[in-house]
Amino acid sequence: MITETGEDPFFIESTDTVSTHGPNCIVRDVLQDKNGNLWFATWKGIIMYDGRVFTNYTLKYGLIHFHVFALFQDSKNKLWFSVARGGVYRFDGKSFQLFTMKNGLPDNTITSFAEDKNGNIWFGTENGLGVFNGKTFSSFTTENGLFDNVISSLLFDKSGVLWIGSAKCLCRYDGKTFSLFNDNEGMLFFRVASLFEDNSRNIWIGSSHPQAGGKGLCRYDGKSLTELVVPNFIMYLRQTKKGDFLMAFNNYPAKENFSMFRYNGKTLTEIYAETQPEINPAIFGMIEDNNVNIWFGTARGICCYNGKTFNYFQ
């Protein structure tokens, strides 16, 4: 499909608007909405699972045929879908609205989302920060003090400070100025892919470090930084209802490609080891659902882990 944003060569055409099987393609992100439905960012479009069937909303609503990269639900229960190179969709439960650079976005590839205390939606893109106040967009780039335009992760902490992870560094924005956040040796963080604030207001940073061989995980308590030894670069970081962390590692150079671990504050336990050669072991976005099942995307579809078995919905 040709659109104002061009054509996506990575989109996988499908005729299955409704199916009992999951998508056999890359699933980049997973989200459970406040109604309990599961949403998947896939190379076949936006797909929702209601516990019975998978519905391709890209086909159902005639959306642009671009692969989906990231998902977000805001405080008003609206869903946001980043369509890589195609802009971002907002879904109010009835209709979709597409926003692109023509509307004021700094770039048509959105990698991450965050919402501030005033309800403004922030977008991390490949060309700086975008902000939507409900009516208009504004943006920040290196010309406005941002330290790197290629943004990979965003987090508003409970004090209202925006943490911005990028390919080259980690910085913070207090509403007025941007400042770099360095490690204990004063070195920049590198490839910050995951940011999370726990209930104790600790900031968890999943990244690769230029001189640490990919330690990956750090915890900042507001005063000091603790570096935790983990196997490699952390791509995804989520906290369970029990307080444990789920982590997906990018083992590069790869033997098994990706691995998933649980961290209870003391030890790392591998909870996922790929044994099926027909399923690519790459793990992407992951969540724990309302029933404490772990859902994650892979390079060949979705998977649900109930603590004992893996269901690939193939």
Side-chain angles (χ1 to χ4, degrees):
M1 177 182 290
I2 304 298
T3 70
E4 67 174 31
T5 52
E7 185 176 282
D8 183 356
F10 300 104
F11 183 82
I12 300 174
E13 296 289 345
S14 172
T15 58
D16 296 329
T17 302
V18 179
S19 175
T20 57
H21 301 290
N24 185 20
C25 64
I26 291 176
V27 177
R28 187 60 174 70
D29 200 6
V30 185
L31 178 147
Q32 185 170 41
D33 67 26
K34 294 176 182 178
N35 294 320
N37 298 310
L38 288 158
W39 296 84
F40 304 100
T42 87
W43 263 226
K44 290 186 177 182
I46 300 167
I47 293 180
M48 189 270 280
Y49 180 60
D50 62 4
R52 298 180 298 107
V53 296
F54 295 87
T55 302
N56 189 317
Y57 273 58
T58 295
L59 300 182
K60 180 179 179 179
Y61 282 84
L63 309 181
I64 61 172
H65 286 200
F66 278 58
H67 68 285
V68 190
F69 192 82
L71 310 174
F72 181 72
Q73 185 168 31
D74 65 26
S75 60
K76 296 179 181 178
N77 295 334
K78 294 179 180 178
L79 294 169
W80 297 80
F81 304 90
S82 162
V83 280
R85 302 177 182 86
V88 61
Y89 273 112
R90 182 180 63 181
F91 181 53
D92 62 6
K94 296 180 180 179
S95 61
F96 286 85
Q97 183 174 4
L98 179 65
F99 300 101
T100 68
M101 293 175 67
K102 289 187 176 181
N103 301 102
L105 276 170
D107 194 76
N108 281 332
T109 295
I110 289 88
T111 61
S112 48
F113 298 91
E115 182 177 4
D116 66 25
K117 60 184 178 181
N118 295 318
N120 300 310
I121 308 300
W122 292 68
F123 309 89
T125 81
E126 293 186 346
N127 188 37
L129 278 171
V131 190
F132 182 60
N133 64 9
K135 295 182 180 180
T136 59
F137 287 88
S138 56
S139 61
F140 298 89
T141 67
T142 51
E143 295 181 358
N144 309 110
L146 189 65
F147 288 92
D148 184 21
N149 285 335
V150 183
I151 297 170
S152 51
S153 54
L154 294 175
L155 169 70
F156 271 104
D157 66 24
K158 292 181 177 62
S159 66
V161 172
L162 178 62
W163 294 70
I164 306 160
S166 78
K168 297 179 181 179
C169 63
L170 174 61
C171 68
R172 296 182 290 184
Y173 180 63
D174 62 5
K176 296 180 180 180
T177 59
F178 294 94
S179 60
L180 282 172
F181 184 84
N182 299 334
D183 72 2
N184 294 324
E185 285 75 41
M187 300 295 296
L188 294 176
F189 282 85
F190 178 61
R191 297 176 69 194
V192 181
S194 299
L195 293 166
F196 187 86
E197 183 179 25
D198 65 24
N199 293 332
S200 299
R201 304 185 74 167
N202 297 305
I203 304 297
W204 294 77
I205 305 161
S207 71
S208 182
H209 191 284
Q211 293 184 351
K215 287 183 181 179
L217 183 63
C218 291
R219 181 183 65 237
Y220 178 64
D221 64 6
K223 296 181 180 179
S224 60
L225 187 74
T226 302
E227 296 182 359
L228 304 164
V229 178
V230 294
N232 217 306
F233 171 41
I234 294 179
M235 289 287 292
Y236 298 93
L237 177 67
R238 299 288 186 271
Q239 192 170 33
T240 69
K241 294 176 177 61
K242 290 183 178 180
D244 295 346
F245 279 93
L246 302 174
M247 292 176 280
F249 294 145
N250 180 351
N251 299 322
Y252 184 81
K255 291 183 179 179
E256 294 182 356
N257 201 2
F258 282 61
S259 299
M260 185 188 295
F261 284 75
R262 184 189 298 271
Y263 178 64
N264 64 5
K266 295 181 180 180
T267 59
L268 282 169
T269 304
E270 189 172 18
I271 62 171
Y272 171 70
E274 185 55 63
T275 58
Q276 301 183 47
E278 71 274 14
I279 303 294
N280 189 305
I283 297 174
F284 297 105
M286 55 187 179
I287 63 163
E288 182 185 53
D289 70 15
N290 297 335
N291 297 316
V292 301
N293 300 306
I294 298 170
W295 293 78
F296 55 93
T298 79
R300 298 286 178 85
I302 63 172
C303 185
C304 177
Y305 175 61
N306 64 9
K308 296 181 180 180
T309 59
F310 296 90
N311 183 358
Y312 290 93
F313 295 91
Q314 295 295 311

